[in-house]
Amino acid sequence: MIKNIEIIKYNNGFLEKTFDNVAEESKINIFVNGSHYISLLCSNSELTELCTGFLFSEGVISSFKDIKNIEVPCNNNIFISLDESINFFPEKHRIIVSGCSKGSIDEALMEQDNFYFPDSEPFYKISDILNYMKDLNSHSEIFKKTGGTHCCVLYSKNKKIVSEDIGRHNALDKIIGKSLILDFKPSESILLLTGRVSSEILLKSAKFGVRIIISRSAPTDFSVKTALGINMTLAGFARGNKMNIYSGADRLINA
């Protein structure tokens, strides 16, 4: 996941040969029921979790039990067989998302009418959330060595699920995939992110059942509008002893 490469470094008027760590980027090809479904650029780790979360986010599966088998060989081709009860239609309308690699998502995910959280729970203390954010930084092992990845952590009272990837969407899909494999329900949890919260990241989280998203970075205007519309808690710039709360402040306790 990390490569050490030779570089030329400029520092205060001087050039020198040295070495630097960079995050590895891999292309994986996902085949579903024998047909090529999509190719993803990602960190080459937790590929079963990534594919499981991705297929859930795409609306292909609703639980890990919908997958009959996943083969992850060494040649970056991943073969997935679905349960016979799943109606699989690979040709869907897709939307190009704001990720750096020009990814896309199923258009149906962008329909806000599919989600709404009517109640206020869960409740979290702001002081605890800021401590969680400090803990998030400690889990960004590849980032600390390369500066080239995103990290997600799903917290609950008795469980913590962590993933890291070169892509924001991939890191979140890995979290979703791990949770599905563990049969972990996210409704009482809080999702912490290092990256920008765009509308598709927010809706992907909402589809999974997350009601609180806290990011070290910024949201977009559409993600704020979406969070307000579906009664989801969204906060950004959670750093040190500060954060900006954009929606759902009633779930956050000032303590």
Side-chain angles (χ1 to χ4, degrees):
M1 292 183 289
I2 298 174
K3 283 190 175 180
N4 189 254
I5 63 172
E6 186 174 0
I7 66 168
I8 297 176
K9 187 172 186 176
Y10 175 83
N11 185 7
N12 198 28
F14 294 93
L15 295 172
E16 63 172 335
K17 286 186 178 181
T18 184
F19 290 87
D20 191 27
N21 291 323
V22 295
E24 279 191 284
E25 181 176 11
S26 299
K27 176 186 175 185
I28 63 168
N29 305 304
I30 300 176
F31 293 80
V32 179
N33 289 350
S35 299
H36 180 257
Y37 184 58
I38 201 167
S39 296
L40 300 178
L41 299 175
C42 62
S43 299
N44 195 4
S45 64
E46 301 179 325
L47 297 183
T48 295
E49 292 83 355
L50 172 60
C51 292
T52 300
F54 180 79
L55 291 180
F56 177 88
S57 297
E58 289 277 288
V60 175
I61 64 172
S62 58
S63 75
F64 187 57
K65 295 178 181 178
D66 294 335
I67 297 177
K68 184 190 295 184
N69 187 50
I70 298 183
E71 296 180 25
V72 186
C74 298
N75 61 0
N76 290 354
N77 291 329
I78 300 175
F79 300 94
I80 301 173
S81 298
L82 301 178
D83 187 83
E84 289 82 358
S85 62
I86 303 301
N87 294 319
F88 176 58
F89 303 101
E91 296 298 328
K92 294 183 177 183
H93 294 288
R94 308 184 69 78
I95 293 177
I96 301 299
V97 302
S98 57
C100 301
S101 60
K102 301 297 183 184
S104 63
I105 61 171
D106 180 10
E107 186 178 37
L109 181 61
M110 299 301 292
E111 298 297 329
Q112 297 180 37
D113 294 341
N114 295 338
F115 316 105
Y116 186 77
F117 299 119
D119 55 355
S120 294
E121 293 184 352
F123 300 103
Y124 278 85
K125 294 180 180 179
I126 292 177
S127 58
D128 288 340
I129 291 173
L130 293 173
N131 285 329
Y132 294 159
M133 289 303 297
K134 295 172 185 176
D135 186 50
L136 169 66
N137 297 334
S138 71
H139 291 293
S140 305
E141 294 297 331
I142 303 174
F143 179 84
K144 285 188 287 188
K145 296 177 181 178
T146 67
T149 58
H150 293 281
C151 186
C152 292
V153 178
L154 188 66
Y155 278 92
S156 71
K157 292 181 174 61
N158 54 13
K159 189 178 290 292
K160 179 169 61 177
I161 300 176
V162 182
S163 281
E164 193 174 4
D165 196 278
I166 60 166
R168 297 176 297 130
H169 292 270
N170 297 337
L172 178 54
D173 281 333
K174 287 178 178 180
I175 288 286
I176 294 172
K178 283 185 181 181
S179 300
L180 292 173
I181 292 169
L182 296 171
D183 197 26
F184 175 67
K185 307 303 180 186
S187 59
E188 297 300 318
S189 303
I190 183 170
L191 179 66
L192 306 183
L193 310 173
T194 57
R196 181 180 70 253
V197 184
S198 52
S199 56
E200 71 273 7
I201 287 285
L202 186 132
L203 284 169
K204 182 181 288 194
S205 304
K207 174 182 172 65
F208 181 48
V210 171
R211 304 182 185 194
I212 302 176
I213 297 182
I214 312 292
S215 178
R216 192 167 62 195
S217 189
T220 64
D221 68 324
F222 192 35
S223 67
V224 173
K225 177 182 177 181
T226 302
L228 290 167
I230 65 176
N231 194 28
M232 193 171 184
T233 299
L234 172 62
F237 296 103
R239 307 169 186 176
N241 293 315
K242 299 179 181 179
M243 73 166 74
N244 294 344
I245 303 170
Y246 299 92
S247 66
D250 56 317
R251 293 191 182 97
L252 306 181
I253 302 169
N254 187 13

